[in-house]
Amino acid sequence: MKIDPNSAADFSAQIAKAIRDAIISGDLIVDDRLPSEQELAEQFDVSRPTIREALKRLAAQSLIRTQRGAFGGAFVRRLSYEEARKQHVTTSTLLLSMNEISFDTACQARFAMERSCVRLVAQNRIQAHLDAMAHELAVQQLPDLSDEAFCGSDVAFHRALVDGSGNPVLSYQMAGAIEAMQPLMNMITFTDRSRAEIVDMHTALFAAATDRDATRLEQELIRLEDYTLTLGRSVFEKRQSLRAARSVSNERTKSSPIISQNGGLS
Amino acid sequence: MKIDPNSAADFSAQIAKAIRDAIISGDLIVDDRLPSEQELAEQFDVSRPTIREALKRLAAQSLIRTQRGAFGGAFVRRLSYEEARKQHVTTSTLLLSMNEISFDTACQARFAMERSCVRLVAQNRIQAHLDAMAHELAVQQLPDLSDEAFCGSDVAFHRALVDGSGNPVLSYQMAGAIEAMQPLMNMITFTDRSRAEIVDMHTALFAAATDRDATRLEQELIRLEDYTLTLGRSVFEKRQSLRAARSVSNERTKSSPIISQNGGLS
DNA sequence: AGACATTTAAATGTCTGACAAATGAAAAGT
DNA sequence: ACTTTTCATTTGTCAGACATTTAAATGTCT
């Protein structure tokens, strides 16, 4: 077996790549059993811990599952929509939080993508999707709802909307836009936004979906985008003037106060 | 440190999750150094190999990088657009290949998403994007171009198009649709498609982008979607009749012949 | 004093060998 | 025929060791 001792990468990374390529290329298909760790160690001519590190890498990507005991081992795992969605949301969330991305850019991308669903939603939405949307609408009007719960319901509403496209691949792709970005936007705007106005727009979206009216769905999404953009900008302006006011006395308040940065993990 | 010996999950999985959560929550920020493996082993009260397996899981998700030597260690890594895009494409490719997804569904999702870029492309494309598209157009007309190279150029053309949106977040999200699905579609349709017709449609897309004409961009993408859908259906019909003809003599040819399925890795 | 070479400590990368725990198959017993 | 026991296989975990890399600290020479 070909692993390059002179390569920059670790053995475990090289081995993981070799197995991953075998899965992607189809040499290993769903539910195929990989050789045992001992056998792999012999095939690749490395020790068992090294093989184990490689397998853990693959497990982290949900490419394999392992089973203990006789006739156990590592098996190629079928990547489910739910797994894929989770990974996509995690990756998107991290990308957004680790890179300085303007509110406008994120907002633009999110709504451009959601709008791409309107035709299919108008065509394919069934009663179950409308019911899910109606349920979230009801939740959003509860008087004592916490901000977190409102945000969660907001995400669920939009998820139900895009699920109405009846296209699971599209829904999966949308997760990165909606489930990763919406919470970030909410975190920025929740202080200033008006729940009533949002519920109003959600109600309009619901009505348009009920009527299978793609054009109105698109219009309402544009309205929601405009509202969100305006809100975001006003929040940033407010922060800007606040910062300017106290910049003389207090210098570094630049990064989000959410980050506690204790260094340790305890 | 809290790791649950009774949990169903491995220690390494639990530890990886604990650290991942610390990164996502912001307790650990970009370029923070994690404690050394030895220290982590003591904090979590497990052995060093177990810690290493946890760290490899995080490395597989590009969440950390490691550096050898004194003052080395594991550092929180900034997830770049390129990394995120690669992961997204890999996940999407696997999702598509491991689940039985109809050609129509994939096609629908892919073009719905690409169409969501047209407004921004018309608004924000700069000369560099047009140049990249023109270059790929030239490549696609080379007489001796291999099928693989044509497919590659096809993907590059569409990538240049969506990059024209000037929104890196949108480009990243599109990667899952275009870079993961286009190759699959090509694999199905490359036998029957007409390069001339595709080049023709690409040329029209290029012209519309040059003219900043969003409506025409959308129209041309719909035309390309229709062409691809028709092509895909005719290919499947052909296969269907072929299969019916030989179904008496030969039973199981259901899965793609691309899969060699040797079981081993050597 | 400053520039260069050497040493050293800290950290990851890897290996060996061992034991524990789970698990399904086969053997034994009823 | 059914149940129980045994057993081999395989992953999960640990301990200890050595190799390699790296940068800071130290030493040495000009």
Side-chain angles (χ1 to χ4, degrees):
Chain A
M1 202 57 208
K2 55 311 161 93
I3 68 168
D4 179 7
N6 302 321
S7 163
D10 296 348
F11 287 169
S12 69
Q14 292 181 54
I15 293 166
K17 180 172 183 347
I19 298 176
R20 182 163 39 240
D21 287 348
I23 294 174
I24 291 177
S25 74
D27 284 348
L28 290 167
I29 61 174
V30 170
D31 289 333
D32 269 1
R33 180 180 174 280
L34 272 62
S36 73
E37 294 175 355
Q38 192 60 55
E39 286 169 329
L40 284 171
E42 285 162 18
Q43 281 185 34
F44 286 98
D45 198 29
V46 295
S47 69
R48 217 187 116 204
T50 302
I51 290 292
R52 280 183 63 79
E53 287 176 10
L55 293 180
K56 294 311 167 199
R57 287 177 187 265
L58 298 175
Q61 294 181 301
S62 307
L63 288 180
I64 59 170
R65 66 188 152 81
T66 57
Q67 199 178 329
R68 299 216 317 204
F71 298 80
F75 297 84
V76 178
R77 183 173 172 174
R78 156 163 280 122
L79 187 62
S80 68
Y81 281 105
E82 232 6 86
E83 272 313 322
R85 172 192 295 267
K86 246 188 267 173
Q87 284 188 221
H88 186 27
V89 171
T90 303
T91 304
S92 299
T93 303
L94 283 164
L95 182 70
L96 293 175
S97 68
M98 286 182 169
N99 293 277
E100 287 183 16
I101 292 165
S102 76
F103 185 83
D104 284 20
T105 302
C107 201
Q108 216 174 38
R110 176 219 180 292
F111 282 102
M113 288 183 69
E114 189 163 352
R115 278 200 304 272
S116 74
C117 302
V118 293
R119 287 186 189 196
L120 290 168
V121 171
Q123 217 171 69
N124 301 327
R125 107 282 185 283
I126 58 174
Q127 190 58 42
H129 301 126
L130 298 178
D131 292 346
M133 292 169 74
H135 173 255
E136 298 304 333
L137 260 176
V139 168
Q140 288 160 26
Q141 292 175 79
L142 295 175
D144 296 330
L145 199 67
S146 72
D147 279 321
E148 287 77 16
F150 186 87
C151 294
S153 174
D154 191 1
V155 171
F157 178 88
H158 286 282
R159 179 165 167 178
L161 179 68
V162 303
D163 281 349
S165 71
N167 187 317
V169 177
L170 194 56
S171 284
Y172 149 71
Q173 297 284 355
M174 287 301 128
I178 295 175
E179 290 176 52
M181 296 192 204
Q182 186 77 37
L184 287 181
M185 294 187 200
N186 281 335
M187 205 188 302
I188 290 170
T189 60
F190 80 95
T191 46
D192 287 48
R193 79 174 159 210
S194 149
R195 286 194 190 180
E197 281 198 62
I198 290 174
V199 167
D200 188 50
M201 288 184 268
H202 283 178
T203 305
L205 283 169
F206 171 76
T210 304
D211 297 347
R212 300 187 183 279
D213 187 336
T215 310
R216 231 166 75 224
L217 272 171
E218 186 162 18
Q219 282 172 348
E220 290 302 327
L221 281 173
I222 289 173
R223 196 174 133 216
L224 187 52
E225 178 177 2
D226 287 343
Y227 177 72
T228 310
L229 269 175
T230 308
L231 204 56
R233 280 173 190 154
S234 85
V235 168
F236 276 110
E237 267 172 38
K238 237 189 261 179
R239 288 194 192 170
Q240 208 75 41
S241 51
L242 258 174
R243 193 168 310 161
R246 70 183 169 199
S247 69
V248 200
S249 59
N250 192 350
E251 183 160 315
R252 48 192 303 275
T253 326
K254 53 186 176 186
S255 59
S256 162
I258 298 162
I259 295 165
S260 70
Q261 162 65 325
N262 63 2
L265 299 167
S266 51
Chain B
M1 204 55 206
K2 61 294 161 106
I3 69 169
D4 179 7
N6 303 321
S7 163
D10 296 348
F11 287 169
S12 69
Q14 292 180 55
I15 293 166
K17 181 174 184 338
I19 299 176
R20 181 164 39 240
D21 288 348
I23 294 174
I24 291 176
S25 74
D27 284 347
L28 290 167
I29 60 173
V30 171
D31 290 333
D32 269 2
R33 178 179 174 279
L34 272 62
S36 72
E37 295 175 353
Q38 191 59 53
E39 287 169 328
L40 284 171
E42 284 161 19
Q43 281 185 33
F44 287 98
D45 198 29
V46 296
S47 68
R48 216 187 121 206
T50 302
I51 291 291
R52 283 184 62 79
E53 288 176 9
L55 293 180
K56 294 310 168 198
R57 296 178 111 109
L58 299 174
Q61 296 180 303
S62 307
L63 288 180
I64 59 169
R65 65 190 154 81
T66 56
Q67 198 178 328
R68 287 187 13 170
F71 296 80
F75 296 83
V76 177
R77 183 174 172 170
R78 157 163 280 124
L79 188 62
S80 68
Y81 282 104
E82 233 6 86
E83 280 299 333
R85 172 192 294 267
K86 248 188 264 172
Q87 284 188 221
H88 186 27
V89 171
T90 303
T91 304
S92 299
T93 304
L94 283 163
L95 182 71
L96 293 176
S97 68
M98 285 182 170
N99 294 278
E100 287 183 14
I101 292 164
S102 76
F103 186 83
D104 285 20
T105 302
C107 202
Q108 216 173 39
R110 176 219 181 292
F111 282 103
M113 289 182 68
E114 189 165 351
R115 278 201 304 272
S116 73
C117 302
V118 294
R119 287 185 190 198
L120 291 169
V121 171
Q123 216 171 70
N124 300 327
R125 106 282 184 282
I126 58 174
Q127 190 59 41
H129 301 125
L130 298 178
D131 292 347
M133 292 169 75
H135 174 255
E136 298 304 333
L137 260 177
V139 168
Q140 288 161 26
Q141 292 176 79
L142 295 175
D144 296 331
L145 199 68
S146 71
D147 278 322
E148 287 77 15
F150 186 87
C151 293
S153 173
D154 191 2
V155 171
F157 178 86
H158 286 282
R159 180 165 167 178
L161 180 68
V162 303
D163 281 348
S165 71
N167 187 317
V169 177
L170 195 56
S171 285
Y172 150 71
Q173 297 284 356
M174 288 299 128
I178 295 175
E179 289 176 53
M181 298 192 202
Q182 186 76 36
L184 287 181
M185 295 186 198
N186 280 336
M187 204 188 302
I188 291 169
T189 59
F190 80 95
T191 45
D192 286 47
R193 78 174 159 213
S194 149
R195 287 194 190 181
E197 281 199 62
I198 290 175
V199 167
D200 188 49
M201 289 184 268
H202 283 179
T203 305
L205 283 168
F206 172 75
T210 304
D211 297 348
R212 300 186 183 279
D213 187 337
T215 310
R216 232 167 76 224
L217 271 171
E218 186 163 18
Q219 283 172 347
E220 289 302 328
L221 281 174
I222 289 173
R223 197 175 133 215
L224 188 52
E225 178 177 0
D226 288 343
Y227 176 72
T228 309
L229 270 175
T230 309
L231 203 57
R233 280 174 189 153
S234 86
V235 168
F236 275 111
E237 269 173 35
K238 237 189 259 178
R239 288 194 192 169
Q240 208 75 41
S241 52
L242 258 175
R243 194 168 309 160
R246 70 182 170 199
S247 69
V248 201
S249 58
N250 192 348
E251 183 161 314
R252 51 193 301 276
T253 325
K254 54 187 175 185
S255 60
S256 161
I258 297 161
I259 296 165
S260 70
Q261 162 66 321
N262 63 2
L265 297 167
S266 50

